[in-house]
Structure formats: structure tokens, C-alpha cells
Amino acid sequence: WHYGALTDIYWYGDGSTYPEYMWKANVEVSRYSKGNTVLHSFFDSKYLIPGLRVSAAVSYFGNNTYSFYGFNGASSKYVPEIDMITDDGLGFYLMKRDIFRIMTCLQGNFGESKWGWAGGITYWNMKTGHARNKGLTDGTTSLYDLYVDNGVIPAAEKDGGQHLEFKAGVVYDSRDHENNPTRGANLEVYAFGSPDIISKHDNNYLKIAAHWKQFFPIVQDRLTFGYHLAYQGLVAGKAPYYLLQSIQSLNMKQINTEGLGSTCTVRGTTSNRLMGNSYAWSNFELRWSFAKFRWINQNWTLATNPFFDAGMIVKPYDIDEQIAAQSNVSGKLPGTDYDLKDLLYTGNAERLHM
């Protein structure tokens, strides 16, 4: 069960900026019956400070049964039968992960042009460990445990860490609307990284991200084709394993954007199934607004959007350690006929996932 409360608040002032809001706020307080917790607040405005867009979020995500499918996509074997909690314990692809995060971002334009700049700081406090659930015990073997015991996850990183992450970049935006655009393009290119000045686990890293989105009207205000090409990759250093799945963005659309996999990146794939140093992915969709009307003094739209997504890991993470760990283990996963060697590394090359 998932229970709690959430709200999205949009303020349009006198309506002269509609459909662009003066400011937006989002708050969620919720909990799952398995013990997981979401506490999230977000604020975004282009008008709070003249000439600047201000975005900020404070979030806590407590997850006792977070999904962890290993590194490097096809190099890690996935077996649906052990991806669950049963009377025998199992929960092989589960771990514990808690996040406390504070995000800030400022954006501004270069004069009256469609080009702009962006910069921000994010504080991460991550705590990771063995999954916690009444159906699991400390003796239950998980992929996380195998990675820790065999050095695939470094000992300094196994319990998590704290990081200050800085980002800066440029933006181009010619879309007619930011939300549900029907024409125009949007480019975001930015670098982000951390000097690891808090935990000091030798996790200094620098990454770069690039996003290109373009929209074409097929039927005016009714049918739009849009596509998104994206890349996020390691340039220098070594990022900790628990930040690999973080997909950076300048304007927050989801309370926690992770991948590759699931709703934020490659829809139709398992959440966080693909974890590596660098990713490339694409999204294509038709947006059909088949009914628009006013009701209770509000604008309403009924719409559907068939899509096609694809993505893959283009730079692996610690693949040599993953291969070496395979030679250190023997036997089978308790309660199953699956060899631990095969679960650690398949030998398969990464491929395009759709």
C-alpha cells in the first residue's frame, strides 16, 4: 500500500502569463506499507527574482527495498524469479537506500536571445546497505552483498556517502510552451561533478550531459510529434556506485529522476536496470490532444501519447572488477539452482535496449 498526501500548486497571478505560471510548488508526504518514505518539496519561478529563474527542492527518500540489478546492463544477469520477497527470503535484487537531497538551480538569459546560462549546487547524503524487510534476514544473500564481499562495490562506498555536486551549462529554448510544447526546440548542455570534499572516498568526478528536444505540429494544437536525444557520461575521475543511476536535469519534472530504465528515460524497461558510467538514450512520441474543454472554470485536456524509447550504456562501470569477482565465487544462490558466477557476470556485451 502507498498512502499519504501530495499537491501541485500553480500560481498564474492575473493570468497574463498563462500558460506559463508565475510560480509552482509541489509537496509530497507519503509512506509505503513496506516501510518506505517520501518527503519532498519543490519550488520553481521565473518571476521571484527579475531576470532569473529560481528552482529549489528538499527531499528525503527512505527505501528499505530499493531495486539493484548490478552494473553494465547485459553484463549482469536478470532472473525474474529471484526478484521478489518469498517465504524463502530471496529478494536477490534488493538493497536499502536512503537519500537526503537539497537542490538549487539558477537560470538566466543572454540578453533578449533564446540562449541562456544555468548553474546550481546539489547536496547528497546517501546511506546504503542490506535490504530491510520482515521477509528478509541479515543472512539472505543479495547481489549488493556479493558485490560488496567481492570488491565490485568498494568498501569505502558500501555504506553510502555525502557529496556537494556543482553544475553549470548553457541552454537554448525556442519552444512555444515549456509544458506540452507544440513547436520549437530545446538544447541543454552542462557539466556537473563533485570534488568529494566531505566523505573523502576518492570519488572526485566530472560528467557532462546533453539533451536535445524538438517538436513539430502535425495538426495545429491537436497532434504533435516530439523527440528527445540525450547523453550523460563520465569525463574524468570516478563517481561512487550509488550516484550512477542519478540522471541530472536543470528543470525538475520528476521528484527523483533515475535510470536508465522506467518512466524517466527508457519507458517499458525495469527501473534502474541499466547502470554504468555513461548513457545514451532517445525518446520519440506522438502527443494527441483529442478533447479540450472548460469545466468548473478550468481548462481541461484529454490526451494520449504513443511512444518509442531506446537506450544503452556506452561506457561501463568497473567492468574489470565485475569480471574478477566472478572467479572468486562458487556454489549456488541458496534456495535456487542458479550459479553465483552467472549472477555476477554473464560475459554478454551491452546492447541497445528498447
Side-chain angles (χ1 to χ4, degrees):
W1 293 93
H2 185 197
Y3 55 93
L6 62 89
T7 183
D8 276 315
I9 303 173
Y10 294 84
W11 178 251
Y12 295 97
D14 61 6
S16 60
T17 63
Y18 184 84
E20 186 176 274
Y21 51 79
M22 299 286 290
W23 57 262
K24 171 189 174 181
N26 169 268
V27 177
E28 178 175 345
V29 178
S30 63
R31 188 170 174 82
Y32 292 79
S33 55
K34 298 293 185 181
N36 300 335
T37 302
V38 176
L39 304 173
H40 172 73
S41 61
F42 170 72
F43 178 85
D44 177 51
S45 176
K46 294 182 180 179
Y47 299 92
L48 179 66
I49 302 176
L52 286 179
R53 180 173 189 168
V54 179
S55 302
V58 180
S59 311
Y60 171 78
F61 308 104
N63 197 329
N64 292 325
T65 52
Y66 179 74
S67 297
F68 177 70
Y69 298 104
F71 303 147
N72 306 314
S75 297
S76 296
K77 189 178 184 67
Y78 176 63
V79 181
E81 290 78 10
I82 57 177
D83 187 16
M84 59 187 72
I85 300 172
T86 69
D87 293 338
D88 297 323
L90 288 182
F92 182 70
Y93 297 110
L94 299 178
M95 61 177 287
K96 178 179 174 61
R97 191 196 67 172
D98 295 342
I99 300 175
F100 177 67
R101 181 192 66 194
I102 302 174
M103 300 177 64
T104 61
C105 185
L106 297 177
Q107 297 183 57
N109 287 335
F110 294 127
E112 299 299 321
S113 74
K114 298 183 183 299
W115 289 89
W117 57 270
I121 302 175
T122 301
Y123 167 72
W124 297 93
N125 188 338
M126 312 277 283
K127 295 182 180 180
T128 61
H130 188 85
R132 299 297 177 192
N133 185 275
K134 64 181 181 181
L136 302 174
T137 65
D138 288 335
T140 304
T141 301
S142 68
L143 183 59
Y144 165 81
D145 298 324
L146 287 178
Y147 272 28
V148 170
D149 293 343
N150 292 279
V152 184
I153 293 177
E157 299 177 20
K158 68 181 182 67
D159 297 323
Q162 300 180 65
H163 299 268
L164 272 181
E165 194 173 71
F166 302 87
K167 60 185 173 185
V170 294
V171 178
Y172 171 81
D173 196 346
S174 66
R175 295 172 295 178
D176 54 351
H177 311 298
E178 182 176 318
N179 294 318
N180 195 27
T182 62
R183 64 180 71 246
N186 175 226
L187 171 68
E188 297 177 355
V189 179
Y190 49 93
F192 64 97
S194 172
D196 195 14
I197 57 178
I198 304 178
S199 291
K200 298 181 179 179
H201 291 162
D202 196 26
N203 287 132
N204 305 289
Y205 63 89
L206 177 66
K207 295 185 178 184
I208 191 167
H211 297 264
W212 171 257
K213 303 173 185 176
Q214 194 168 14
F215 303 89
F216 302 91
I218 298 175
V219 178
Q220 186 68 30
D221 295 328
R222 290 291 183 179
L223 184 62
T224 302
F225 172 73
Y227 71 92
H228 172 212
L229 306 177
Y231 170 82
Q232 177 176 299
L234 183 71
V235 176
K238 183 180 186 298
Y241 89 93
Y242 46 79
L243 284 178
L244 293 178
Q245 76 283 8
S246 175
I247 302 298
Q248 288 291 324
S249 63
L250 296 179
N251 300 316
M252 182 179 288
K253 301 298 184 184
Q254 307 280 345
I255 65 173
N256 197 24
T257 305
E258 296 188 332
L260 286 181
S262 193
T263 58
C264 298
T265 50
V266 184
R267 292 164 289 187
T269 60
T270 303
S271 178
N272 301 335
R273 177 64 180 93
L274 313 175
M275 294 178 64
N277 269 324
S278 301
Y279 309 111
W281 72 98
S282 59
N283 314 104
F284 305 87
E285 64 183 47
L286 283 171
R287 299 178 176 180
W288 178 31
S289 300
F290 56 86
K292 294 186 177 184
F293 55 92
R294 285 186 63 81
W295 182 48
I296 57 174
N297 203 31
Q298 299 292 319
N299 293 320
W300 298 78
T301 299
L302 301 180
T304 185
N305 59 318
F307 62 85
F308 173 80
D309 296 344
M312 67 181 296
I313 296 167
V314 294
K315 184 176 182 180
Y317 176 84
D318 284 0
I319 189 71
D320 293 337
E321 286 79 357
Q322 193 177 1
I323 295 172
Q326 188 187 40
S327 63
N328 295 332
V329 300
S330 60
K332 297 183 180 298
L333 179 67
T336 76
D337 293 325
Y338 296 106
D339 291 328
L340 293 177
K341 286 180 177 290
D342 295 336
L343 295 174
L344 269 176
Y345 179 68
T346 64
N348 296 330
E350 174 63 336
R351 62 184 185 275
L352 188 66
H353 301 266
M354 297 178 285

